[in-house]
Amino acid sequence: MTVPATRKDLMIVNMGPHHPSMHGVLRLIVTLDGEDVINCEPVLGYLHRGMEKIAENRTIIQYLPYVTRWDYLATMFTEAITVNGPEQLGNIQVPKRASYIRAIMLELSRIASHLLWLGPFMADIGAQTPFFYIFRERELIYDLFEAVTGMRMMHNYFRIGGVAADLPHGWIDKCLDFCNYFLTVVAEYQKLITRNPIFLERVEGVGIIGGEEVINWGLSGPMLRASGIQWDLRKVDHYECYDEFDWEVQWQKEGDSLARYLVRINEMKESIKIIQQALEGIPGGPYENLEVRRFDRTKDSEWNDFEYRFISKKPSPTFELSKQELYVRVEAPKGELGIFLIGDQSIFPWRWKIRPPGFINLQILPQLVKRMKLADIMTILGSIDIIMGEVDR
Amino acid sequence: MKPEEIKKMQSPLSAWLVKHGLVHRSLGFDYQGIETLQIKPEDWHSIAVISYVYGYNYLRSQCAYDVAPGGPLASVYHLTRIQYGVDQPEEVCIKVFASRRNPKIPSVFWIWKSVDFQERESYDMLGISYDNHPRLKRILMPESWIGWPLRKDYIAPNFYEIQDAH
C-alpha cells in the first residue's frame, strides 16, 4: 500500500457524543494540525428534552420532578430556583427554620456537585483513584438526603413556602459527624492532589482567561472567581439566610485550570463551615427537641410560631402566577443558574426560560483550546465543569 | 424571601438615554424593581454600544418569547454591572420586539460575547434571526429541523393524539 506523502492539510477529528470522558453527550469537532488544536466546535442538543416547552403546560408542583433532571448532580439548586420564582411573585414569606434547612441542603448539594466534578476531572487527567474516593463521600451525602427526602438524588423536596417535610430525628447529629469527617477527607485530597508535580504540570497555565474577558463572555461561578473577580451571588443578592453566617468568597487570581480547581476545593471547605454554623443555629434545634417542646407547653406556645415551621402554608395545587415577569437566580456550583419567568394569571407560566450556567460557560471552549495540545482539551473541558442535562435541557 | 421594594424612579440608564435624546420606551418595572426598556430593532445596536460604554459589562441572560399568538416576538436582554465590592448591583432589562413575519434583530455578539450560544438558541427555538452573528445555526434541535419549537403556534410533527390516530 502506498503511503501518501506528508500532507499539510488539517485533520478533523470527531470526539463524538459517546465517549467516557465527555461530561454527558457532547460532541466536539476538533480541527488539528498534528497535535495542536486549531479550532474546536461543540455540537450540542443530544440531550434536549424540551424542558422549557414542557414548563408552559405544568403547574409548579407538577414541574418540580422535572427540574432535578437539569443539573442532576446538584439537584437542590434547581428545585430552589423553581420555587423561588413563584414565592417572589406571590409575596410568600418563608419561615426561618425552612430557610435554614434550605441553606443546609443547598450547601450539601454544592459539596456533592464539586465532589463529582473532581472525580471525572482527575480521571480525564489520568488519575483514576480519586474517582472512587469521591463516590465514598457522595454516598454519605446520599444517605443524609435519603433520610430527609426519601430519594438519593432526585429529591422533589422544596415546596413553595418552605420544604416538604421537617428533618427526621437525629439528622442534625449525623450531619455534624459528616462535616467533621469531610474536613479530614478534604485534607487527604489536598495531600494527594494539590502538590503533585504531575498534576501541576498538566493543569498549571492551561486555559487561562483574563478578568475582562471572563465578564464579556458572561461566565459565572468558579470560572469567574478563578480569574480574580470576587462575584458570588450569595453575597451580592443576599438571598435565603446566607447573611447570618460567617463565610468568605473563595477566589484566585491566575485564571488557569489550577485556579479553578483551587476555588472549588476551597468552596467545599467554606460550605462545610456554613453547614456547621447553620446546624448550630437552626431555629428550634433538632426536630426531636422541637417536638418535645411543643408537647410540653400549652396550646399556643411560641414553638408553634411561624419561624419554627418548615413551610409557611401548604400551597394549593392551583397556585396562580400573576401576570408579572421576574428573573431569579441562585449561585449554583456550576455558575449562575437563573429563571426568567413570565407569569400569565393562570396556573401555567407563559414563558419559563432557564439560564443554565453550563451552556454559557461552554461558549468559551473554542477560544480556550486554540493553540493548546490535544490532551489539554480534556483538562480545559473538565475545569469548565459542564453537565449536559442543563446545557441541553 | 423578602419582597423587594419597588423603586419609584427611573433607572439611571433610562435617565441618561432620555438626556441624550435617544428613542426608547420604558415598560415599567418588573417585580423586583428592575426597569424594563423597550428598544426598536433599528436602534438596538447603537443603544447596546451605549449601554456597554455606560458600564453594563455583564450580559446575564438573553432570552426570547412570543408575546401573544399572532403577535410580535420579543428578545429580552438582562444586563448588569460587575464591579468589585458592589452590593445590589444596577440591573436593567431590555426588550426588543420584532414582527412575527420577518423577525430580524441586530446581534450584539461583538459587544457582549456571552450571547453567542444564547442567540443561536433564540433563533433555533423561535426563529428570530440575528444579523451579524458569526455562526447562526440551530444549536439544540438537529440542523435539518423545520419549524420553531417554542412558538405558541408550533405543531409538533408526527404527533397524533391516540383517539385521532386511526
Side-chain angles (χ1 to χ4, degrees), chain A residues 76-109:
Chain A
M76 294 293 189
F77 289 93
T78 53
E79 293 182 15
I81 202 175
T82 311
V83 300
N84 277 353
E87 272 170 9
Q88 291 191 12
L89 276 188
N91 264 339
I92 297 178
Q93 301 267 28
V94 175
K96 205 112 177 291
R97 186 179 170 86
S99 190
Y100 270 69
I101 296 179
R102 280 184 178 183
I104 296 173
M105 294 297 155
L106 288 177
E107 292 306 313
L108 277 176
S109 210

Side-chain angles (χ1 to χ4, degrees), chain A residues 200-243:
Chain A
L200 291 177
E201 276 276 339
R202 283 294 303 260
V203 151
E204 201 164 4
V206 165
I208 301 188
I209 325 177
E212 283 297 318
E213 269 203 74
V214 154
I215 300 184
N216 199 271
W217 277 97
L219 307 183
S220 50
M223 303 214 60
L224 197 58
R225 291 195 279 283
S227 296
I229 302 180
Q230 305 167 34
W231 180 263
D232 188 329
L233 285 174
R234 295 173 283 174
K235 286 268 192 215
V236 167
D237 268 347
H238 308 283
Y239 67 89
E240 294 286 343
C241 50
Y242 283 103
D243 291 335

Side-chain angles (χ1 to χ4, degrees), chain A residues 235-275:
Chain A
K235 286 268 192 215
V236 167
D237 268 347
H238 308 283
Y239 67 89
E240 294 286 343
C241 50
Y242 283 103
D243 291 335
E244 308 189 8
F245 308 129
D246 169 35
W247 60 281
E248 296 297 320
V249 174
Q250 300 299 321
W251 62 286
Q252 300 279 331
K253 249 208 281 254
E254 299 86 31
D256 59 359
S257 302
L258 180 65
R260 285 172 231 143
Y261 162 81
L262 288 171
V263 165
R264 291 188 176 109
I265 295 278
N266 291 335
E267 266 185 15
M268 282 203 276
K269 294 202 280 208
E270 282 305 298
S271 291
I272 289 283
K273 254 171 66 178
I274 298 178
I275 297 178

Side-chain angles (χ1 to χ4, degrees), chain A residues 94-316:
Chain A
V94 175
K96 205 112 177 291
R97 186 179 170 86
S99 190
Y100 270 69
I101 296 179
R102 280 184 178 183
I104 296 173
M105 294 297 155
L106 288 177
E107 292 306 313
L108 277 176
S109 210
R110 186 186 306 273
I111 294 177
S113 172
H114 281 324
L115 278 174
L116 203 88
W117 161 80
L118 183 63
F121 181 55
M122 299 309 296
D124 290 345
I125 294 183
Q128 308 280 348
T129 18
F131 195 74
F132 296 99
Y133 293 160
I134 51 129
F135 271 115
R136 187 186 56 192
E137 272 71 63
R138 236 184 109 92
E139 285 292 328
L140 296 174
I141 301 184
Y142 284 165
D143 287 341
L144 286 172
F145 280 156
E146 192 182 358
V148 184
T149 73
M151 278 288 292
R152 282 152 52 98
M153 271 176 93
M154 305 300 175
H155 320 285
N156 194 8
Y157 183 55
F158 282 46
R159 296 284 180 270
I160 300 178
V163 288
D166 210 334
L167 306 172
H169 288 193
W171 194 85
I172 295 199
D173 293 327
K174 283 280 181 245
C175 200
L176 277 173
D177 289 343
F178 170 75
C179 294
N180 297 333
Y181 168 69
F182 190 74
L183 286 174
T184 64
V185 161
V186 166
E188 190 186 315
Y189 293 150
Q190 300 263 55
K191 256 190 344 198
L192 192 59
I193 303 174
T194 312
R195 269 190 287 276
N196 191 327
I198 305 177
F199 175 73
L200 291 177
E201 276 276 339
R202 283 294 303 260
V203 151
E204 201 164 4
V206 165
I208 301 188
I209 325 177
E212 283 297 318
E213 269 203 74
V214 154
I215 300 184
N216 199 271
W217 277 97
L219 307 183
S220 50
M223 303 214 60
L224 197 58
R225 291 195 279 283
S227 296
I229 302 180
Q230 305 167 34
W231 180 263
D232 188 329
L233 285 174
R234 295 173 283 174
K235 286 268 192 215
V236 167
D237 268 347
H238 308 283
Y239 67 89
E240 294 286 343
C241 50
Y242 283 103
D243 291 335
E244 308 189 8
F245 308 129
D246 169 35
W247 60 281
E248 296 297 320
V249 174
Q250 300 299 321
W251 62 286
Q252 300 279 331
K253 249 208 281 254
E254 299 86 31
D256 59 359
S257 302
L258 180 65
R260 285 172 231 143
Y261 162 81
L262 288 171
V263 165
R264 291 188 176 109
I265 295 278
N266 291 335
E267 266 185 15
M268 282 203 276
K269 294 202 280 208
E270 282 305 298
S271 291
I272 289 283
K273 254 171 66 178
I274 298 178
I275 297 178
Q276 280 170 333
Q277 290 174 47
L279 290 171
E280 316 272 311
I282 186 170
Y287 185 61
E288 53 268 25
N289 298 355
L290 192 60
E291 218 181 3
V292 170
R293 284 184 192 132
R294 281 188 190 151
F295 287 155
D296 266 354
R297 306 299 170 92
T298 56
K299 204 148 190 292
D300 40 313
S301 80
E302 52 159 322
W303 300 105
N304 277 328
D305 256 356
F306 180 71
E307 298 295 351
Y308 295 106
R309 290 182 199 216
F310 61 88
I311 194 170
S312 66
K313 184 172 94 108
K314 188 158 178 236
S316 87

Side-chain angles (χ1 to χ4, degrees), chain A residues 58-88:
Chain A
R58 301 282 184 279
T59 67
I60 295 292
I61 283 288
Q62 285 174 330
Y63 195 59
L64 271 171
Y66 286 88
V67 302
T68 46
R69 272 78 179 168
W70 302 340
D71 179 358
Y72 35 84
L73 302 176
T75 47
M76 294 293 189
F77 289 93
T78 53
E79 293 182 15
I81 202 175
T82 311
V83 300
N84 277 353
E87 272 170 9
Q88 291 191 12

